[in-house]
Amino acid sequence: MNFENFLIIAKGENITFNVSSYFFNDTHCEITFKNGKKYTYNKSNVRIIHYKNAFDPKLYLIKHNDRELFDISSIKEFLYDDLKIWRIKYSNGKINDYE
């Protein structure tokens, strides 16, 4: 499953990169984690959040903890309640989320 364009928030925690699959029914969401464990959450405790904006990394200088980030191939902004999460994808394929 390609999770590059959305966040999976369960009980307020970003679990996106630990999930291998998820399935919603009328009242619950079943999440299978990469370690093979499955958990069933109340549907109201799981949110799927799609990115709000995408930015051209060639037009921005990105720093995290006063350290410049290099070799960025994409930047996506996610808005969750009062929180902004920036998803940075690097040229080598690695993806990190930053608050």
Side-chain angles (χ1 to χ4, degrees):
M1 215 171 215
N2 182 357
F3 296 110
E4 197 172 314
N5 294 320
F6 58 91
L7 295 174
I8 301 173
I9 306 292
K11 294 186 174 184
E13 181 182 346
N14 181 358
I15 62 169
T16 309
F17 297 116
N18 298 322
V19 172
S20 63
S21 66
Y22 68 92
F23 173 77
F24 281 97
N25 64 28
D26 290 339
T27 59
H28 291 86
C29 178
E30 183 178 285
I31 295 178
T32 303
F33 289 88
K34 290 181 179 177
N35 65 8
K37 293 183 180 181
K38 291 183 182 183
Y39 290 92
T40 301
Y41 293 86
N42 186 315
K43 188 176 180 178
S44 65
N45 289 329
V46 177
R47 294 190 52 198
I48 307 299
I49 301 165
H50 294 271
Y51 72 93
K52 178 77 172 166
N53 297 301
F55 301 94
D56 183 348
K58 294 177 184 133
L59 302 177
Y60 296 90
L61 171 69
I62 305 297
K63 288 185 174 186
H64 181 257
N65 292 334
D66 292 327
R67 204 176 105 238
E68 187 174 346
L69 304 180
F70 294 95
D71 296 323
I72 297 172
S73 63
S74 73
I75 304 167
K76 293 181 180 163
E77 176 189 50
F78 296 83
L79 302 175
Y80 168 65
D81 292 338
D82 292 333
L83 185 64
K84 281 187 185 181
I85 296 176
W86 299 86
R87 177 160 295 157
I88 306 292
K89 182 175 182 181
Y90 297 91
S91 299
N92 66 4
K94 184 178 178 181
I95 300 173
N96 284 335
D97 288 346
Y98 301 94
E99 291 183 18

